[in-house]
Amino acid sequence: ALTSGDVDMSIKVPESEVHKLEQNPEIAVHRKLTTFTDFMQFNCARPPFDDVNVRKAVAYAIDTEGIVKNILNNIGVAARGRPYSPVMMYSSKELPLYSQDLNKAKSLLAASGWKDQDGDGILEKNGKPLKVDLLVSPSWSARQQKIAEACQAQLAKAGFSVNVKQMESAAVERLEKEGNFDILMRTGFFVWGPYPHHVKIHHSKNYKSHYKNPEYDRLVERGESEIDENEKQKIYAEIQKMILEELPAFYIVHEEKIVATRNN
């Protein structure tokens, strides 16, 4: 409809359509980096993700830059674990971000006792294979399925067997409340607000947390109560560093929204 001139504007244009629209001289494509960030949240309350080494192995196994380039057609910015999008005022520039390093991922898993004992490419520990479920709700965003499948393939190279399970959001919510999941693929609206307090998602009192760390809780509470902006900046920088070190979640892509208009 946009191409034919039946409509003047289209919002939330799919990544797959952007290049084609950019080649049309009658259409202007507008790109805007947003505060939304897609991420994988771990259930840190049960194996295997109660072990920070296993969570870090996931972070080192995933190529977030490759996902943006090859899966999302260069729409968005690779988060590399960064919780806050660069457009956010508390986003810290000095963070130890992740890059794909399969050798590092494998060595972390080996240090925690995971080995491929039968040569099938899947690691085992105490006779149990490293098989995990990754829950995705198609009602959140079609992009989530693409990202989940890319992560599935990349994690396989490190020795994980990942089962991507598409479920309606109500079913995901039920399993989450039960604590009956391994990884949740979260769409960007989970970090939306009230900004900058979405880091409360990892606070132990939040039923969506699935992670308990008293030091983290104290930092979040200090950030909530602090009124001095310089101190607040320092606190939120510490929170971001802790998320990268402890990895209650691994942040994958800072979303870029696309609006296409007729050039008139």
Side-chain angles (χ1 to χ4, degrees):
L2 181 71
T3 303
S4 67
D6 291 339
V7 300
D8 296 307
M9 177 185 291
S10 176
I11 65 172
K12 296 186 179 180
V13 176
E15 291 87 359
S16 58
E17 299 296 323
V18 172
H19 180 71
K20 182 171 66 176
L21 291 176
E22 286 178 333
Q23 305 308 305
N24 190 327
E26 297 181 343
I27 293 173
V29 176
H30 310 270
R31 299 165 63 135
K32 187 73 172 179
L33 188 60
T34 73
T35 60
F36 283 25
T37 300
D38 300 325
F39 63 102
M40 297 168 65
Q41 186 169 354
F42 303 109
N43 187 348
C44 303
R46 73 177 194 181
F49 296 114
D50 58 344
D51 183 345
V52 69
N53 276 356
V54 180
R55 302 196 297 269
K56 285 187 175 182
V58 171
Y60 281 114
I62 293 175
D63 179 9
T64 62
E65 292 170 304
I67 288 173
V68 171
K69 180 181 179 181
N70 302 315
I71 307 299
L72 302 179
N73 297 311
N74 283 315
I75 307 298
V77 172
R80 297 175 57 199
R82 183 200 303 271
Y84 283 162
S85 169
V87 299
M88 289 179 164
M89 62 187 278
Y90 292 114
S91 181
S92 178
K93 294 183 175 66
E94 304 299 326
L95 291 174
L97 301 179
Y98 289 90
S99 293
Q100 188 182 46
D101 186 337
L102 285 174
N103 289 331
K104 181 72 172 175
K106 291 175 182 178
S107 67
L108 285 164
L109 290 168
S112 287
W114 292 95
K115 298 178 181 178
D116 185 3
Q117 296 171 335
D118 56 10
D120 66 351
I122 301 171
L123 303 182
E124 294 91 21
K125 181 179 179 181
N126 299 326
K128 186 176 181 180
L130 189 52
K131 293 185 176 182
V132 298
D133 290 333
L134 173 54
L135 305 187
V136 183
S137 174
S139 61
W140 292 341
S141 168
R143 183 181 59 256
Q144 300 303 305
Q145 182 70 21
K146 295 179 183 178
I147 295 174
E149 289 171 356
C151 291
Q152 177 187 44
Q154 293 173 2
L155 287 167
K157 295 177 181 178
F160 288 85
S161 174
V162 179
N163 178 29
V164 177
K165 297 178 71 173
Q166 266 205 358
M167 308 178 76
E168 290 304 319
S169 56
V172 173
E173 183 83 6
R174 176 177 56 79
L175 290 176
E176 182 178 11
K177 284 183 177 179
E178 295 171 356
N180 188 19
F181 74 96
D182 298 313
I183 312 175
L184 298 174
M185 182 64 75
R186 301 281 205 194
T187 188
F189 65 69
F190 279 92
V191 305
W192 181 30
Y195 169 75
H197 308 304
H198 84 260
V199 291
K200 286 178 74 175
I201 194 172
H202 306 309
H203 192 289
S204 61
K205 290 183 179 179
N206 187 339
Y207 84 92
K208 290 185 177 293
S209 174
H210 317 292
Y211 167 73
K212 290 186 178 181
N213 184 328
E215 184 181 353
Y216 183 87
D217 292 352
R218 283 193 292 271
L219 274 174
V220 170
E221 289 157 11
R222 281 180 57 203
E224 292 255 290
S225 60
E226 182 59 62
I227 58 173
D228 180 275
E229 280 300 321
N230 289 330
E231 285 301 310
K232 210 174 186 71
Q233 184 80 44
K234 293 176 184 177
I235 292 167
Y236 280 102
E238 286 301 311
I239 288 172
Q240 290 169 81
K241 287 178 183 177
M242 186 173 286
I243 289 173
L244 282 157
E245 180 63 28
E246 283 287 304
L247 287 174
F250 181 58
Y251 291 77
I252 300 172
V253 179
H254 303 305
E255 293 183 22
E256 197 172 19
K257 295 300 184 189
I258 307 295
V259 175
T261 63
R262 300 291 298 180
N263 61 10
N264 59 356

